[in-house]
Amino acid sequence: MAAEGAGVRSHEAHVVEMFGPQAAAYVASAVHARGADLDALKALVEEARPARLLDLGCGGGHVSFTAAPFAGEVVAYDLSEDMLSAVAAEAKTRGLANIATRQGVAERLPFADGSFDMVASRYSAHHWRDVPQALAEVRRVVKSGGQFVMMDVIAPEWPVADTFLQTVELLRDPSHGRDYSASEWTRLAEEAGFRVVRTAHRRLRLEFASWVARIRTPELHVAAIRSLMAGASADVAAHFEFEADGSFSIDTLTLELETA
């Protein structure tokens, strides 16, 4: 009966089920709360001073918290009501009164055309059902001449390492969709009507124990991830910089985009 219930839920409901109960953990997560990508975003928003900014797939709200001091209004948008409640509570604690929350999916944004000066999204797109549709929606709600900053984990361009990454991601979190490669992201952004202004590639170290604890990965899946690591080729191990405790490093990409 449990398997039947799992089979009938939508992808979006699955994402909410995985992340909603862990909302507080994502607000507090050190991996999500800091990073060179957030520092770069802060500088960009501070320079642009957008009247209205959309944090698309806000998760624990760290893009919203970073942008709020330099924006007129920030809309934190996410699938999970639990996440949004946690973000609203943290915004109140920090005295950030210009953060509003809104619930929904990336592929159907409940906002008027051209209603944001800037959209930013971090560590969310690998859960979207339909990335091209979501990007089309972003293009629709960004003003002419507006900016879109996309930050996400990216897959290696070579298939063996790509397959390894997607597999361990799915074992850790069965609501995982896909980590796209840098070349795929560039193509998707351009097809959606954006022009690439700047790219930044970075490495992100993931401490294994907190990485699996944050999403409550079952022990069976944790063991499977460790088994895949133990059986990986030397090339894969070198690329992901495996450590003795299972910690490893992945690639991330920041795309700074403008409307074409």
Side-chain angles (χ1 to χ4, degrees):
M1 186 63 69
E4 181 182 348
V8 298
R9 67 188 164 194
S10 69
H11 170 69
E12 290 77 14
H14 197 186
V15 174
V16 169
E17 179 183 292
M18 294 300 300
F19 285 88
Q22 298 301 102
Y26 276 83
V27 172
S29 167
V31 168
H32 294 81
R34 60 176 180 258
D37 57 343
L38 276 182
D39 294 339
L41 177 68
K42 176 182 176 180
L44 191 65
V45 179
E46 187 172 8
E47 178 181 359
R49 300 278 172 166
R52 200 167 185 231
L53 180 145
L54 174 64
D55 179 3
L56 178 57
C58 67
H62 301 293
V63 164
S64 294
F65 305 146
T66 298
F70 313 107
E73 180 189 20
V74 173
V75 178
Y77 183 84
D78 201 87
L79 264 178
S80 169
E81 290 284 6
D82 290 334
M83 281 288 188
L84 294 172
S85 294
V87 170
E90 182 67 15
K92 184 176 181 180
T93 298
R94 298 186 185 207
L96 300 172
N98 62 333
I99 295 178
T101 60
R102 190 79 179 266
Q103 191 272 338
V105 299
E107 294 84 357
R108 295 188 304 276
L109 299 179
F111 308 109
D113 295 0
S115 53
F116 291 94
D117 303 281
M118 182 181 289
V119 176
S121 184
R122 183 173 184 251
Y123 300 155
S124 172
H126 57 269
H127 286 289
W128 297 349
R129 174 189 290 270
D130 187 335
V131 169
Q133 176 59 32
L135 294 180
E137 279 291 272
V138 173
R139 178 63 186 85
R140 179 182 66 78
V141 302
V142 174
K143 290 180 179 178
S144 179
Q147 297 169 288
F148 176 33
V149 183
M150 168 59 69
M151 297 159 278
D152 207 1
V153 176
I154 55 169
E157 299 284 351
W158 52 299
V160 174
D162 181 348
T163 299
F164 177 87
L165 177 63
Q166 309 301 340
T167 303
V168 298
E169 287 266 47
L170 190 63
L171 283 168
R172 173 188 177 252
D173 167 20
S175 72
H176 173 74
R178 174 165 180 78
D179 296 322
Y180 292 88
S181 67
S183 60
E184 287 174 319
W185 267 120
T186 299
R187 174 180 57 79
L188 288 164
E190 290 176 345
E191 288 176 352
F194 290 100
R195 179 176 66 86
V196 178
V197 176
R198 188 176 294 108
T199 64
H201 293 254
R202 299 182 175 92
R203 293 286 281 178
L204 177 65
R205 180 181 179 273
L206 296 171
E207 194 275 322
F208 189 87
S210 60
W211 179 64
V212 294
R214 191 161 47 245
I215 200 67
R216 302 170 297 153
T217 304
E219 282 302 319
L220 181 65
H221 288 195
V222 172
I225 294 170
R226 291 191 181 279
S227 177
L228 282 173
M229 288 181 163
S233 69
D235 291 341
V236 168
H239 177 84
F240 292 105
E241 300 177 314
F242 290 171
E243 301 176 30
D245 68 349
S247 299
F248 63 104
S249 295
I250 55 177
D251 296 298
T252 70
L253 175 69
T254 296
L255 280 178
E256 294 181 23
L257 306 165
E258 291 182 349
T259 54

